[in-house]
Amino acid sequence: MALLFIDGFDHYDPQALDPFGDPWLARGKAAYLSPQATRIQGRRPSSYALRLPAGAGGGYVKNLEAGRTSLIVGAALRVAPFENTGEEPVLLGVRDASAQVAHLVKLGEDGRLKLYRRTGSGMSGWDQWISTSVTTAAVRGWHYVELQVVQGTSNGTLNVRINGVLAITLSAQNTTQGGGPLLTAFAGSVPGQPCPVTVDVDDLYLADTSGTINNTFLGDVRVDALQAQANGAQNQWTVEGAASAWEAVSDGDEATAIRAATAGLRQTFDVEALPVMTTPAIHGVQVTLLARKTDAGTGRVRGIVASGAQTAVSADIHLQEQLAWHTALFERNPNGNVPWTEGAFNAAEFGLESA
């Protein structure tokens, strides 16, 4: 697999309250999200983005399930106007599993992208400037920025793109600096540090360079959140508080839900069709679940996709006592193990299986 995670920030409001009266933030999706983060109008009509305000709250942090020797992070970013007499805005970056080495992209005092290596964690870390782009990223407007880090002691590579154009490229680098594999992606600030400037984030993806598809820059992508609109062919979960399963899962309200008391039960849904696009290219489909366990012991589910006569399930997702967002990414259409097409996606069903 090369595509690892996506988020368009459309399906949750980080300031909304959960059943316990606490803000949702991005529980279960982001490892950490600034308590001051808010949902704002996104890049497209009827879409949302994430605002990371300047200050001590920090930014957005996403951890992977396992370390990688390469990592690509891309996101649409917009920087609020700022005084260029102090700290430079942090756009995005990646960090290793030991939290000792990070590579990050900042917006320089002259509007150009600057690539840094940070050694050390917390307030004791220090930034080593590596390279500056010729390309400018003007404040106020949205720009799609991508950073690729391939680890190596003498053959590592670093590449930065903005709006589909290669802005910085370096080879024969020591990108490990004695650290471990890459585990973390972040935006707005280095983990554990304040946001120097307000930064808006939309349409984020994480990938690595393995596999045969999605193993390089994806470019300026869009992430669309599509809800269930009807029950699918498999209806084995119990519905509570609603007339049908699809109505119970499309509102984000725990007053309506579906439950499974035993393992091996499946529930699939017909989801909304893709928005009309001229030549859509689907890099992957991520099933997003708002779920929790309701009893002691281990509670597990799996994401599921049914396409044609073929079905695929994800690895086990371990649930918590509180509601949390969980994701299962299907990079290929299981019907033929091929990249997704618009027609195949619109005909497929997505859901979950109790484990």
Side-chain angles (χ1 to χ4, degrees), residues 160-228:
V160 179
R161 293 210 316 179
I162 178 170
N163 301 325
V165 177
L166 190 62
I168 297 173
T169 180
L170 298 169
S171 59
Q173 299 289 305
N174 180 358
T175 52
T176 61
Q177 299 289 314
L182 301 169
L183 186 74
T184 300
F186 55 88
S189 74
V190 177
Q193 301 295 299
C195 272
V197 175
T198 296
V199 176
D200 299 335
V201 186
D202 202 357
D203 297 327
L204 177 143
Y205 80 86
L206 297 179
D208 63 21
T209 59
S210 68
T212 57
I213 61 172
N214 302 326
N215 55 7
T216 185
F217 293 115
L218 300 185
D220 186 343
V221 299
R222 57 183 287 176
V223 179
D224 291 289
L226 305 173
Q227 292 190 336

Side-chain angles (χ1 to χ4, degrees), residues 1-9 12 29 43-44 50 60-64 70-77 91-94 143-149 159-166 183-187 201-210 213-224 281-286 327 329 331:
M1 173 178 283
L3 186 61
L4 305 172
F5 176 76
I6 58 176
D7 200 345
F9 311 105
Y12 61 86
K29 296 198 78 175
R43 294 198 292 162
R44 301 179 304 278
L50 192 65
Y60 173 98
V61 180
K62 174 64 180 178
N63 291 328
L64 301 175
S70 63
L71 200 58
I72 308 169
V73 54
L77 299 159
L91 300 180
L92 48 74
V94 301
H143 300 280
Y144 207 90
V145 181
E146 298 168 282
L147 168 65
Q148 180 193 69
V149 179
N159 294 294
V160 179
R161 293 210 316 179
I162 178 170
N163 301 325
V165 177
L166 190 62
L183 186 74
T184 300
F186 55 88
V201 186
D202 202 357
D203 297 327
L204 177 143
Y205 80 86
L206 297 179
D208 63 21
T209 59
S210 68
I213 61 172
N214 302 326
N215 55 7
T216 185
F217 293 115
L218 300 185
D220 186 343
V221 299
R222 57 183 287 176
V223 179
D224 291 289
I282 304 173
H283 298 296
V285 179
Q286 183 172 274
T327 61
L329 201 145
E331 192 176 30

Side-chain angles (χ1 to χ4, degrees), residues 230-310:
N231 288 348
Q234 302 189 66
N235 294 278
Q236 298 175 334
W237 284 50
T238 301
V239 181
E240 296 183 352
S244 64
W246 78 267
E247 293 172 303
V249 303
S250 359
D251 56 10
D253 182 359
E254 198 178 9
T256 60
I258 59 175
R259 296 175 182 266
T262 59
L265 302 181
R266 292 181 169 182
Q267 180 70 53
T268 58
F269 302 96
D270 173 34
V271 301
E272 297 169 328
L274 281 174
V276 176
M277 291 175 274
T278 304
T279 54
I282 304 173
H283 298 296
V285 179
Q286 183 172 274
V287 176
T288 302
L289 313 170
L290 181 60
R292 69 180 178 92
K293 66 177 185 177
T294 56
D295 203 349
T298 301
R300 296 172 296 150
V301 296
R302 304 183 186 102
I304 186 173
V305 54
S307 177
Q310 302 300 317

Side-chain angles (χ1 to χ4, degrees), residues 95-117:
R95 191 168 75 169
D96 67 16
S98 63
Q100 294 299 310
V101 180
H103 289 87
L104 58 149
V105 180
K106 295 184 180 183
L107 186 62
E109 71 283 350
D110 57 0
R112 296 188 293 165
L113 301 182
K114 300 178 75 172
L115 178 63
Y116 287 89
R117 177 185 295 113

Side-chain angles (χ1 to χ4, degrees), residues 10-179:
D10 290 328
H11 62 285
Y12 61 86
D13 180 355
Q15 293 298 318
L17 300 182
D18 68 11
F20 303 100
D22 298 320
W24 274 111
L25 299 180
R27 186 179 295 159
K29 296 198 78 175
Y32 174 82
L33 179 62
S34 167
Q36 284 77 48
T38 57
R39 187 170 67 170
I40 62 168
Q41 175 64 46
R43 294 198 292 162
R44 301 179 304 278
S46 303
S47 72
Y48 294 98
L50 192 65
R51 172 157 293 171
L52 305 170
Y60 173 98
V61 180
K62 174 64 180 178
N63 291 328
L64 301 175
E65 295 296 325
R68 306 274 171 164
T69 57
S70 63
L71 200 58
I72 308 169
V73 54
L77 299 159
R78 181 174 61 184
V79 178
F82 65 98
E83 295 180 1
N84 64 351
T85 56
E87 193 171 0
E88 297 166 336
V90 175
L91 300 180
L92 48 74
V94 301
R95 191 168 75 169
D96 67 16
S98 63
Q100 294 299 310
V101 180
H103 289 87
L104 58 149
V105 180
K106 295 184 180 183
L107 186 62
E109 71 283 350
D110 57 0
R112 296 188 293 165
L113 301 182
K114 300 178 75 172
L115 178 63
Y116 287 89
R117 177 185 295 113
R118 170 167 291 204
T119 304
S121 60
M123 298 299 293
S124 62
W126 62 278
D127 291 342
Q128 174 191 3
W129 169 80
I130 302 176
S131 183
T132 301
S133 73
V134 173
T135 308
T136 297
V139 296
R140 294 187 184 272
W142 287 101
H143 300 280
Y144 207 90
V145 181
E146 298 168 282
L147 168 65
Q148 180 193 69
V149 179
V150 179
Q151 288 190 311
T153 56
S154 61
N155 60 345
T157 60
L158 298 164
N159 294 294
V160 179
R161 293 210 316 179
I162 178 170
N163 301 325
V165 177
L166 190 62
I168 297 173
T169 180
L170 298 169
S171 59
Q173 299 289 305
N174 180 358
T175 52
T176 61
Q177 299 289 314

